[in-house]
Amino acid sequence: MFMLKALYHARLLRQFGRADSSLAYLTETYLQAQLVRYLPGKIWGIVYQSRRVDGSHAPGAVVVANLWQMLLTNLLAVSVLAGILGISHLGPSSLVTIIVGLALVELIHRHPQTRDAPIKWLARRAPRFGIPALLTLSKPDRWKSTALLASEWVFYFPAFVLLHDGLLSAAQAILLGAWYSAASILSLAAFVVPAGLAVREAIFVSGASTLAGAHPALLIVSATMLRLLMIAAEIVAALLATVFNKVRRHGC
């Protein structure tokens, strides 16, 4: 999941800087920045990333890329969660929201002017952001970026099924995963807390307690394990990207 996020971000960031920017380097820097954000105040991750790519990207371009990715990621996430959590009230027909979300994200990728127009307006209004000199004309992006965003969920929900094997049914585990993702979105409001620590877990335990078979003790243990697994996965992803980029550059 983290590698897919980083690759999506790297492809997006190349549209805001030099076209010859290395995808491997941008991917490595993004993954490292995700670890830095555990410092008090999530802004430090963006500061770190901006310093690492200052030769090819203005700080404003890095900020805009992060904000745009967050917007589209959460747009798709809301449609997926609405589809899954809505099954209990509307039945399988609620899954149509997932198709609508995918179609909308793909439409935006195919028509980058929907993104570039407001960014250019912002660049004119706030030239200190440093966007005008680096913003390039974006080309329609068909399927690849949408596939990267959608593929995250292919790994996300099976992880919940495997983690709760023998404790919950597959359907219950998927619903639990939906609640955890919803908690992650809501915890974004706590931007001063390092990576939303404790906030996400508190929302998750509170919201998922309504699920059948989800005992509070199970939810607390699940929230703790999920946080530890997420941090471990971020560390491994950053290490792999760093080693790969070093080997690519130096051949050793």
Side-chain angles (χ1 to χ4, degrees), residues 90-109:
L90 303 175
S93 61
S94 69
L95 295 176
V96 73
T97 61
I98 300 177
I99 299 174
V100 172
L102 283 170
L104 182 57
V105 170
E106 175 63 17
L107 188 64
I108 293 173
H109 284 143

Side-chain angles (χ1 to χ4, degrees), residues 1 152-165 173-174 177 226 229-230:
M1 283 176 56
E152 294 179 32
W153 298 99
V154 176
F155 295 94
Y156 180 78
F157 286 117
F160 274 83
V161 175
L162 291 173
L163 186 63
H164 297 88
D165 183 38
I174 290 174
L226 286 165
L229 287 172
M230 291 284 189

